[in-house]
Amino acid sequence: MSSSLYRRLHDVFTKTGKPQLLTAIGNATGTPQSSKEQKYRSLVRKFKQSSNSPKFRNQFTNYESFVHHLIRTKQFSAIEDVLEHQKNYPDIKNERFAVRLISLYGKAGMFEHARKLFDEMPDLKCQRTVMSFNALLAAGVNSKIYDKINEIFRELPGELGIEPDVFSYNTMIKALCDMGSLDSAVLVMDEMGKNGIDPDVITFNTVLDGFYKNSRFYEAEKIWDLMEKKAITNVRSYNSRLRGLVEKNQVVEAESLFEEMKKRGVNPDTHSHNAMIRGYAKDGNLELAKSWYAKLRENGCLPDLATFCLLIPLACNKDDPDFAYDLCKKCIDLKHNVLTITIQRVVDMLVVRSMIKEAEELVELGQNCSFRYRLAMR
């Protein structure tokens, strides 16, 4: 996406207070369009014009960036408008191009549109292989249409002459874990082996994470032991176990595991540090939570949204305005969108502590950042 188009799109989305649906072409009701609606329609029209360029269509990031903004502001009719338009181009005969569109529909939670495009592929002279089948399954998971995923997984391959691969099984297992059907997920793992497909690290990580998240620690530890025997653990595996130990209030054991992963050459990432921060935030231990925040930055990791959602309320609860203020500035600088009420709480604390300059700075930063926080001095 060109920088000018991206900038104009960004301005419209960040200045619009409430999500707006794209009005029908021609405005049949005769109701005058607002200036924002006109700007919005102009942006969609410009994107479709840009799509005329094969070079533009070849850069999938153009589509991802645009649709991401549409999802954020719930402009689903516009997503349909833009993606349906892509059928006008010869690229639609390329399965990889069609898969990208199916994936975007999935990310938007528009599963019926993803399924419609999948069903239309033969008429569009586009071959359907396991690649597009997997994209449809993933769209179902992203759209949380779990009841339909099993039907698709069991029926479509036979109808289309497609052999599910490891990605297909992993997506099915992910759906079952998201549903909490962990025993069924293990059965699908067994099915993989019987069909000559070896479960990979993604398979094991998905099931491991599912058992930890559902507090089935005994089964999770059995899976962990099996993964260690197979030597297929990675940073995601360790992160799942760290979160599981923290959930069991075994923070000391989590610290030991954190050190163990470093000794084994597995570099902790932001999620690893967040697990430790969560452990001490649960206990209300601000000092140790702060020390892990410092380690996160020392180890070359950037704090993410979860980091700030853990630490800012903790700093407020423990009446540490300086740390809360620094966290808010960093959060805004990194463009992480925490709840307005979270930052407003910090502003209020700063005012009570007569830190007026700092409070005013946060209000100004919030107003001028991409999320347009509505903050007030009270």
Side-chain angles (χ1 to χ4, degrees):
M1 184 183 297
S2 68
S3 58
S4 60
L5 176 58
Y6 183 90
R7 185 165 54 252
R8 291 186 62 192
L9 175 65
H10 178 272
D11 288 343
V12 170
F13 284 142
T14 55
K15 292 176 183 177
T16 301
K18 295 182 179 180
Q20 298 177 9
L21 292 177
L22 188 63
T23 53
I25 294 177
N27 199 12
T29 63
T31 305
Q33 294 179 352
S34 70
S35 59
K36 288 180 180 178
E37 286 176 323
Q38 291 173 355
K39 288 180 181 179
Y40 184 79
R41 289 180 60 80
S42 175
L43 287 169
V44 172
R45 184 172 61 253
K46 286 180 179 295
F47 187 91
K48 290 164 72 173
Q49 289 173 348
S50 297
S51 300
N52 290 328
S53 165
K55 183 177 179 181
F56 182 90
R57 295 196 302 274
N58 194 46
Q59 297 296 320
F60 187 53
T61 53
N62 294 332
Y63 292 80
E64 285 186 314
S65 299
F66 195 81
V67 171
H68 173 73
H69 285 289
L70 298 179
I71 293 170
R72 276 182 51 201
T73 52
K74 305 184 188 305
Q75 304 287 354
F76 300 113
S77 61
I79 292 173
E80 180 181 11
D81 189 9
V82 167
L83 297 187
E84 288 297 305
H85 179 76
Q86 306 307 310
K87 295 177 184 177
N88 296 322
Y89 303 111
D91 308 59
I92 197 63
K93 297 178 183 179
N94 184 316
E95 186 182 19
R96 190 172 297 276
F97 186 79
V99 160
R100 290 172 173 177
L101 303 182
I102 291 171
S103 299
L104 289 172
Y105 272 133
K107 290 178 181 178
M110 301 170 68
F111 178 75
E112 294 303 325
H113 292 76
R115 180 61 193 264
K116 178 175 176 288
L117 176 54
F118 180 84
D119 291 340
E120 289 174 346
M121 286 173 65
D123 293 334
L124 296 169
K125 296 182 173 54
C126 183
Q127 182 183 15
R128 290 183 297 190
T129 70
V130 70
M131 184 198 310
S132 47
F133 170 68
N134 288 341
L136 183 64
L137 283 177
V141 173
N142 287 330
S143 301
K144 297 180 170 51
I145 312 295
Y146 301 123
D147 57 329
K148 295 185 179 180
I149 295 173
N150 185 63
E151 176 185 333
I152 293 169
F153 183 80
R154 296 300 174 191
E155 296 181 4
L156 272 187
E159 293 177 7
L160 303 179
I162 292 173
E163 288 291 334
D165 59 14
V166 66
F167 188 96
S168 315
Y169 280 100
N170 285 345
T171 306
M172 185 65 218
I173 289 170
K174 175 73 166 78
L176 291 169
C177 287
D178 286 353
M179 293 170 62
S181 301
L182 301 173
D183 296 324
S184 296
V186 173
L187 289 176
V188 173
M189 284 183 70
D190 292 339
E191 181 182 329
M192 291 176 72
K194 292 176 183 177
N195 290 335
I197 299 174
D198 292 329
D200 60 13
V201 66
I202 296 174
T203 317
F204 279 100
N205 278 340
T206 302
V207 176
L208 179 73
D209 201 51
F211 276 110
Y212 275 127
K213 284 181 176 178
N214 285 271
S215 301
R216 293 178 61 174
F217 302 115
Y218 177 80
E219 293 96 330
E221 289 298 312
K222 291 296 183 183
I223 294 171
W224 174 265
D225 291 341
L226 181 58
M227 292 177 71
E228 287 213 302
K229 287 179 182 177
K230 290 178 171 288
I232 57 170
T233 55
N234 60 13
V235 66
R236 184 182 169 190
S237 319
Y238 277 96
N239 289 343
S240 292
R241 192 162 189 241
L242 284 170
R243 288 190 291 265
L245 291 170
V246 166
E247 187 63 28
K248 289 176 67 180
N249 296 317
Q250 296 180 346
V251 183
V252 174
E253 290 81 353
E255 282 198 17
S256 298
L257 181 64
F258 190 96
E259 294 303 318
E260 178 186 324
M261 66 188 291
K262 291 197 296 183
K263 290 178 182 177
R264 293 189 175 187
V266 180
N267 293 324
D269 61 11
T270 298
H271 303 292
S272 315
H273 293 83
N274 282 349
M276 300 308 306
I277 291 171
R278 181 180 298 277
Y280 289 110
K282 282 176 63 178
D283 291 338
N285 193 326
L286 177 60
E287 291 310 310
L288 284 177
K290 286 171 72 171
S291 72
W292 279 98
Y293 176 66
K295 287 180 183 179
L296 180 152
R297 302 177 71 177
E298 290 168 5
N299 290 334
C301 301
L302 281 175
D304 62 8
L305 178 60
T307 315
F308 295 111
C309 288
L310 286 167
L311 288 174
I312 295 175
L314 179 62
C316 291
N317 292 341
K318 294 300 178 178
D319 195 25
D320 190 335
D322 292 309
F323 186 48
Y325 164 70
D326 289 338
L327 287 169
C328 287
K329 287 204 303 180
K330 187 68 174 178
C331 180
I332 292 172
D333 180 57
L334 291 175
K335 297 180 175 61
H336 291 304
N337 186 16
V338 300
L339 293 174
T340 299
I341 192 173
T342 300
I343 297 184
Q344 182 64 58
R345 187 180 175 190
V346 177
V347 172
D348 294 343
M349 181 170 61
L350 293 171
V351 171
V352 169
R353 296 290 291 269
S354 298
M355 299 172 66
I356 305 302
K357 180 180 178 182
E358 290 82 356
E360 290 175 341
E361 183 180 1
L362 276 190
V363 171
E364 183 178 354
L365 287 172
Q367 290 173 343
N368 294 328
C369 76
S370 58
F371 297 111
R372 299 292 195 273
Y373 291 109
R374 294 182 178 180
L375 305 171
M377 300 281 288
R378 297 189 295 209

